[in-house]
Amino acid sequence: MDQCVTVERELEKVLQKFSGYGQLCERSLEELIQYAGGLRREILQSENQDGALSGTISLVMTQCCKRIKDTVQKLASDHKDIHSSVSRVGKAIDKNFDSDISSVGIDGCWQADSQRILNEVMVEHFFRQGMLDVAEELCQESGLSIDQSQKEPFVELNRILEALKVRVLRPALEWAVSNREMLMAQNSSLEFKLHRLYFISLLMGGTVNQREALQYAKNFQPFALNHQKDIQVLMGSLVYLRQGIENSPYVHLLDANQWADICDIFTRDACALLGLSVESPLSVSFSAGCVALPALINIKAVIEQRQCTGVWNQKDELPIEVDLGKKCWYHSIFACPILRQQTTDNNPPMKLVCGHIISRDALNKMFNGSKLKCPYCPMEQSPGDAKQIFF
Ligand SMILES: [Zn+2]
């Protein structure tokens, strides 16, 4: 963490300088433009008197040249100054962060099939971000053939999301209406919230939209059961149409945050409908890797120091448990209270007849003849009666 602070401090200095210089540059340029304007006027005035330059013009010109030279010199020295600050950021990064992470890499982990899978994950990530051209270029270069049907949902989602970001509701509404049944089945309030926002945008137009707003309110009908209160509030706000919603007790309806919210709700519900995770698997893995990397680099160094390099050779298993934080919890885990290990597919949790749960390995170790005594309540039972538990 300390390393981050050092780098951030250097970065802060650069940003401060940038904002200062920005204004300074603008001022110098404005002055120069004024000078040039004066010069132009002088020249225009003396256009009719042919012959050599008048005394005034040559004076103004000399001044102007001097001014330009000074300004350029000042800008050059400022540039030098800012350049040294920027390079200090780079040095701080080099000094405080480990640039060589190859020690924790596993040789040959991106060969053949894994390489293809990695490319596929990257392509899907770009589709999700709406960077279709990048995805297609990657497909071509890596020789991947991606099915069109795989791409289409992302193209559509991105189109709708882009429209929502600029407060255009129509594409999202059309999508929600055509998927109404499935959205309702997953308890989504997306369609209602879209209609609500459309209604609010009509309210903002004032009394001119009164008739249209009333007409539009019919769209709330399918949602009357679940959103009765919201609908009542919306209808109540119509009373204040004349004096403006912004001057009424209903001013909260205009909250700008709900536009950011609707983008999130749309992404979440549409992804759920299409059976996709909300976040791209690539960015999730990447951020998990960033959290785990320092711990892995440390453990690798310790392993090498103590000369027990054989310890970490299993390719799909880490030598230590790394806590990635709550954000990365996707499912419940169960640790066997007897073996003090997390249960796995090979060693699943088993429920005993008395209701206590231990791992299968613990169970196998504990039974005596054909009888098993529960380690918690001493109930005797047959090990065959234990049932596997799925979380
Ligand atoms: Zn028990």
Side-chain angles (χ1 to χ4, degrees), residues 352 354-356 374-379 381:
L352 306 179
C354 54
H356 290 116
C374 169
Y376 286 94
C377 59
M379 190 204 239
Q381 51 201 295

Side-chain angles (χ1 to χ4, degrees), residues 107 122 154 190 198 207 211 224 240 273 302 334 340 357 382:
D107 289 337
M122 275 159 50
F154 296 113
L190 176 69
Y198 193 85
T207 41
R211 184 187 285 267
Y240 289 91
L273 201 96
V302 171
F334 178 76
R340 298 192 180 280
I357 302 173
S382 143

Side-chain angles (χ1 to χ4, degrees), residues 127 132 151-163 171-172 174-176 178-179 266 270 274:
F127 279 154
L132 301 179
K151 188 171 93 180
E152 266 156 25
F154 296 113
V155 178
E156 196 186 8
L157 292 193
N158 274 303
R159 182 179 57 85
I160 297 172
L161 208 54
E162 288 306 313
E174 280 166 8
W175 185 88
S178 63
N179 291 293
F266 173 77
L274 295 166

Side-chain angles (χ1 to χ4, degrees), residues 178-391:
S178 63
N179 291 293
R180 180 180 292 165
E181 271 172 34
M182 284 196 278
L183 284 170
M184 289 269 205
Q186 65 183 38
N187 234 343
S188 157
S189 55
L190 176 69
E191 191 189 339
F192 171 71
K193 289 195 165 144
L194 289 167
H195 284 308
R196 181 178 170 276
L197 278 176
Y198 193 85
F199 186 80
I200 291 172
S201 67
L202 288 175
L203 292 181
M204 285 163 81
T207 41
V208 199
N209 290 340
Q210 187 167 1
R211 184 187 285 267
E212 199 185 337
L214 275 170
Q215 196 74 25
Y216 196 81
K218 283 185 187 155
N219 287 302
F220 294 137
Q221 199 258 328
F223 311 97
L225 206 63
N226 292 332
H227 298 279
Q228 195 184 7
K229 200 146 182 148
D230 288 318
I231 297 173
Q232 281 169 352
V233 171
L234 290 171
M235 300 320 282
S237 67
L238 281 170
V239 179
Y240 289 91
L241 216 50
R242 195 171 295 275
Q243 72 178 73
I245 303 296
E246 63 278 12
N247 306 315
S248 77
Y250 291 94
V251 62
H252 66 273
L253 291 177
L254 308 179
D255 186 2
N257 282 341
Q258 53 196 356
W259 284 97
D261 289 345
I262 199 74
C263 291
D264 288 345
I265 296 171
F266 173 77
T267 312
R268 194 193 59 209
D269 290 358
C271 284
L273 201 96
L274 295 166
L276 300 165
S277 57
V278 173
E279 279 176 273
S280 135
L282 184 65
S283 30
V284 172
S285 326
F286 183 78
S287 46
C290 289
V291 177
L293 208 51
L296 294 181
I297 292 176
N298 283 344
I299 191 85
K300 189 80 184 185
V302 171
I303 288 175
E304 267 159 25
Q305 231 171 40
R306 305 224 173 135
Q307 297 174 342
C308 42
T309 24
V311 178
W312 184 9
N313 51 11
Q314 268 172 306
K315 287 193 173 170
D316 52 357
E317 203 174 274
L318 296 177
I320 43 161
E321 206 167 294
V322 181
D323 184 9
L324 297 176
K326 274 216 162 136
K327 228 185 107 208
C328 289
W329 283 10
Y330 290 97
H331 53 83
S332 312
I333 50 164
F334 178 76
C336 171
I338 307 298
L339 296 180
R340 298 192 180 280
Q341 271 175 357
Q342 210 171 305
T343 49
T344 60
D345 285 346
N346 294 327
N347 179 26
M350 305 293 286
K351 182 167 107 33
L352 306 179
V353 178
C354 54
H356 290 116
I357 302 173
I358 57 176
S359 69
R360 189 158 66 196
D361 283 357
L363 184 139
N364 289 337
K365 275 184 191 152
M366 277 171 37
F367 73 84
N368 207 337
S370 64
K371 284 284 170 217
L372 169 81
K373 208 170 172 184
C374 169
Y376 286 94
C377 59
M379 190 204 239
E380 280 216 349
Q381 51 201 295
S382 143
D385 292 340
K387 287 198 171 73
Q388 185 172 342
I389 295 279
F390 296 92
F391 285 103

